[in-house]
Amino acid sequence: MKYTFNAARFGLRGWEGQGGVLYDEADSTLYEVSESAFLLLNSLWLQADPQSAMELAHDLLGEPPERVDVELVEAVLNDFRKMGAVTCLSA
């Protein structure tokens, strides 16, 4: 699966070492996100092409991820997908 950030509906703002906020423009809701969730979303937002969980985990860790790392990234991405912040595309 490949993932993209839903920039048409959500805004993202973060502060180094403090996490960030995700803004839903559809209903003006703010969601506080942890630093690791912000880094994941920001990495996805900066990429022009859809990314896999493996690619995103590698970006976050700076080295090839282990299976458990990829599974954690997939779990977080699926939570954001349910919110509508992330769109999932077939590979």
Side-chain angles (χ1 to χ4, degrees):
M1 295 293 215
K2 297 278 188 163
Y3 300 87
T4 61
F5 182 74
N6 186 356
R9 177 175 166 184
F10 288 87
L12 184 63
R13 173 84 191 240
W15 297 269
E16 189 172 332
Q18 297 181 22
V21 293
L22 183 64
Y23 174 69
D24 185 342
E25 294 181 16
D27 62 9
S28 300
T29 303
L30 283 175
Y31 300 95
E32 183 177 3
V33 296
S34 68
E35 182 177 11
S36 57
F38 170 77
L39 292 172
L40 177 63
L41 289 173
N42 193 53
S43 179
L44 196 55
W45 179 70
L46 292 172
Q47 299 295 326
D49 297 322
Q51 300 291 303
S52 70
M54 174 76 79
E55 292 167 321
L56 291 163
H58 188 275
D59 286 348
L60 288 174
L61 297 173
E63 60 186 46
E66 295 183 19
R67 189 180 76 195
V68 68
D69 300 319
V70 176
E71 290 170 353
L72 288 170
V73 167
E74 285 175 339
V76 171
L77 289 169
N78 284 327
D79 288 342
F80 284 122
R81 185 180 55 80
K82 290 174 188 171
M83 291 174 54
V86 171
T87 302
C88 186
L89 308 169
S90 296

